[in-house]
């Protein structure tokens, strides 16, 4: 009942299972790989509009064949140039490549990062390369949820490889990377303190390390230190797990990039050989995504409640004035979301 | 139906509204200010056990009279010493003071911070001072949700002043501080780059700035720069909002601490004079808390699902194998949480 009183500008989370004809047509165009439809849906996802849910639901069920690879690392590590070289490498194998660049720490910046524009110009004539930077314009959900939805769209649209690049290595970036089965963390020889600056989070999420700018002094040392840190961790962990490789790359010339792509492929193969590990990791990704979706739904209900007048808005005042409590309100909103009729 | 199959070790989120006799007795002891009961309930809250919800629900409705003040700022700014001086200042006014120290960035460290132990020793004989550091031991909910619950417990237990201190100024600390009506951000004269290092988040959450270690060179300059930054912001914002004061303090000697406490009092008065602003801010805090509670509930359902066997666990596999999708699963879990019978 309450949901029907809501402002029409803010539709409730639950949407009819039966798609409209428009939605069905959009699903078909995206599955057929129509790039303009993909780009348009991604823009809608960025805006955080829940009208997209019926389409995303269909697309999710047709996704799962893309190889999705995360590229993380500190700013200035050369991630963009490395991704550019990876595109060339995958294209040489005849694979179609989509790149999504995300800056979760400044969700409202909205602009394309510089490296993005450089790459766009380079690959503008190649219809088998899709490059997009992602900003969470809407206040609901945030960039983590939007990223998961965008990966679903690109996967269903038939891209063979999807590279997800984040700007930094903070907590938000780690959250984004947790949604991806294979994560490459890029490091630099840097000033010698580079290894000390490997964040615990980076070690935790990395399936492959790339020590980029391998022509610089100290690259071998950084690679050796990383190897030692990883060996210590591997000893502590169970024995048949994936051994995280450290690959030296030189993005400016392309040296080592084929090795990096091969290491990524080996990780994907390893997951196929260890279905128990693959399932456990898929469960973790799924749990995070479902929790994120639910939190998004409740925030939307709350914003409807805040905008509403009369009895509805009174529910919040009841809590503020201690006639009710947040635990009861949470419960009530959850039941409203789950049964809108 | 599904909830009844769940492991008894992981009770469902929804709990009978009727409290047990034990719960009712606990509520009474806490309202009476029994410190041992308060300490024990806080430990239970830290563990993230949902059995606490009926008690917290009752306590929330009896809370709302404490003055809750957040103390944030970079490590090394002298927050602990400043909090110690604030305790003396409030005690001199005859007020009872509770301090909660939170380190949201390392939720599993679990140990009391050093400053905490020093303060504990100093105030060990004063029954009107309560000091506690908080770690989120359970994986569910995290430290933000636990902090809100702990503030509710202390508020209901009748503490006049509750000081919430965080270790750093990262994104997680900002989230914790968003739950508090009055936030003091502590800065240092530091190395001259101090002002540049004022994070956007700090400016956003601060109701009062304290430039601590005011005896060090550069303190006046930092205060002046802060004042200018705040004036620029105030011009952009609406005119009748609170003007964020900058107070010089010297925690080691206690100089300026009375001024800081007075600035905090003035902010509390200002909120009483502007009920519209006070309500808007209370709504924001409530929204964050309700969204957090809901996300906690869904994560708990997911962990039950992951631990379950047979048909239940199959729900997750259905999504992983694309027979279902995360949007539908989120919906289903929300309905299970909201109607357990």
């Amino acid at each position: 009942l309450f949901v029907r009183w809501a402002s029409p500008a803010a539709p409730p989370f639950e949407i009819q299972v039966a798609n409209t004809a428009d939605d069905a047509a959009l699903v078909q165009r995206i599955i057929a790989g129509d790039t303009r439809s993909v780009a348009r849906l991604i823009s809608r996802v960025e805006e955080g509009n829940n009208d997209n849910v019926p389409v995303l639901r269909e697309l999710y069920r047709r996704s799962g064949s893309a190889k999705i690879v995360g590229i993380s690392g500190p700013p200035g590590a050369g991630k963009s140039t490395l991704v550019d070289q990876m595109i060339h490498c995958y294209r040489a194998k005849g694979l179609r490549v989509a790149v999504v660049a995300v800056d979760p720490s400044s969700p409202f910046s909205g602009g394309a990062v510089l490296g993005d524009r450089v790459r766009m110009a380079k690959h503008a004539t190649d219809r088998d390369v899709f490059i997009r930077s992602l900003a969470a314009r809407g206040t609901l959900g945030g960039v983590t949820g939007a990223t998961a939805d965008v990966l679903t769209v690109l996967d269903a649209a038939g891209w063979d490889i999807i590279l997800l690049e984040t700007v930094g290595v903070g907590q938000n970036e780690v959250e984004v990377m947790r949604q991806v089965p294979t994560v490459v963390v890029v490091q630099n020889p840097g000033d010698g303190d580079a290894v000390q600056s490997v964040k615990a989070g980076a070690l935790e999420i990395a399936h492959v390390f790339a020590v980029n700018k391998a022509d610089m002094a100290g690259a071998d040392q950084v690679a050796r230190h990383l190897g030692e840190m990883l060996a210590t961790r591997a000893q502590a962990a169970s024995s048949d797990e994936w051994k995280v490789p450290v690959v030296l790359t030189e993005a400016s010339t392309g040296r080592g990039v084929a090795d990096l792509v091969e290491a990524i492929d080996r990780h994907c193969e390893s997951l196929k050989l260890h279905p128990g590990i693959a399932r456990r990791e898929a469960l973790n990704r799924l749990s995070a995504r479902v929790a994120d979706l639910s939190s998004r739904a409740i925030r939307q209900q709350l914003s409807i409640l805040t905008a509403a007048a009369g009895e509805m808005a009174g529910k919040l005042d009841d809590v503020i004035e201690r006639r009710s409590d947040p635990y009861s309100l949470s419960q009530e909103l959850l039941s409203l979301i789950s049964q809108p009729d």
Side-chain angles (χ1 to χ4, degrees), chain A:
Chain A
L1 50 247
F2 145 71
V3 169
R4 268 190 247 123
W5 299 356
S7 132
F13 181 71
E14 171 63 47
I15 294 147
Q16 54 282 19
V17 175
N19 295 332
T20 65
D22 281 357
D23 281 352
L26 178 57
V27 168
Q28 287 310 317
R29 283 199 305 277
I30 285 171
I31 289 165
D34 177 50
T35 303
R36 286 180 60 180
S37 298
V38 167
R40 213 171 299 144
L41 181 56
I42 290 176
S43 297
R44 278 170 50 181
V45 165
E46 273 186 311
E47 285 156 16
N49 192 331
N50 277 335
D51 286 345
N52 305 318
V53 170
V55 170
L56 291 171
R57 195 174 268 170
E58 291 300 317
L59 292 177
Y60 179 86
R61 295 183 189 216
R62 290 142 200 252
S63 69
S65 49
K67 186 176 286 186
I68 305 181
V69 180
I71 315 286
S72 188
K79 291 189 297 295
S80 294
T81 318
L82 194 59
V83 165
D84 186 48
Q85 293 286 358
M86 290 170 74
I87 294 173
H88 286 296
C89 190
Y90 284 119
R91 291 296 300 126
K93 294 169 187 260
L95 297 168
R96 302 175 65 241
V97 187
V99 178
V100 184
V102 177
D103 182 358
S105 297
S106 45
F108 300 106
S109 66
V113 288
L114 179 64
D116 198 350
R117 279 183 229 133
V118 172
R119 278 175 289 174
M120 274 178 180
K122 265 191 189 170
H123 298 284
T125 55
D126 187 347
R127 296 187 52 182
D128 294 321
V129 175
F130 179 92
I131 299 176
R132 175 71 185 244
S133 52
L134 195 61
R137 296 201 190 105
T139 50
L140 299 167
V143 81
T144 312
T147 304
D149 291 342
V150 167
L151 294 175
T152 293
V153 173
L154 291 168
D155 188 341
W159 293 93
D160 300 310
I161 308 288
I162 306 174
L163 303 177
L164 174 68
E165 177 187 338
T166 55
V167 167
V169 282
Q171 191 54 42
N172 292 325
E173 280 84 355
V174 168
E175 291 306 315
V176 168
M177 282 299 153
R178 279 195 205 284
Q179 301 178 81
V180 165
T182 303
V183 176
V184 177
V185 173
V186 184
Q187 293 287 321
N188 266 183
D191 55 4
D193 288 335
V195 174
Q196 275 70 34
S197 78
V198 174
K199 299 273 181 75
L203 268 179
E204 202 186 307
I205 59 172
H207 300 103
V208 177
F209 269 105
V211 177
N212 195 30
K213 307 186 185 175
D215 50 327
M216 283 172 64
D220 289 333
Q221 196 191 340
V222 168
R224 199 169 53 244
H225 278 162
L226 272 173
E228 284 161 10
M229 286 171 80
L230 290 163
T232 311
R233 275 172 56 93
Q235 282 180 340
S238 68
S239 59
D240 67 345
E241 290 216 3
W242 168 250
K243 304 275 186 291
V244 176
V246 179
V247 182
L248 289 164
T249 59
E250 212 181 296
S252 53
T253 64
R255 252 187 64 203
V257 174
D259 297 339
L260 174 61
V261 165
E262 199 216 311
I264 292 165
D265 287 347
R266 276 191 289 117
H267 181 251
C268 299
E269 290 306 313
S270 159
L271 286 176
K272 282 179 197 150
L273 291 172
H274 299 93
I277 295 173
R279 179 170 179 276
R280 193 185 64 214
E281 294 184 355
L283 281 179
N284 287 338
R285 289 196 296 276
L286 177 58
S287 296
R289 187 165 182 187
V290 170
D292 185 79
L293 283 169
S294 309
S295 171
R296 214 197 298 188
I298 206 86
R299 280 182 190 273
Q300 186 148 31
Q301 281 298 322
L302 283 161
S303 71
I304 294 171
L305 219 53
T306 307
E311 195 191 328
M312 286 303 105
K315 283 178 188 296
L316 294 167
D317 285 321
D318 282 348
V319 179
I320 290 173
E321 285 154 29
R322 265 68 185 178
R323 292 186 296 271
S324 180
D325 61 82
Y327 312 94
S328 303
L329 181 60
S330 167
Q331 204 69 42
E332 188 179 352
L333 292 181
L334 288 169
S335 78
L336 287 169
I337 290 167
S338 60
Q339 35 172 317
D341 294 319

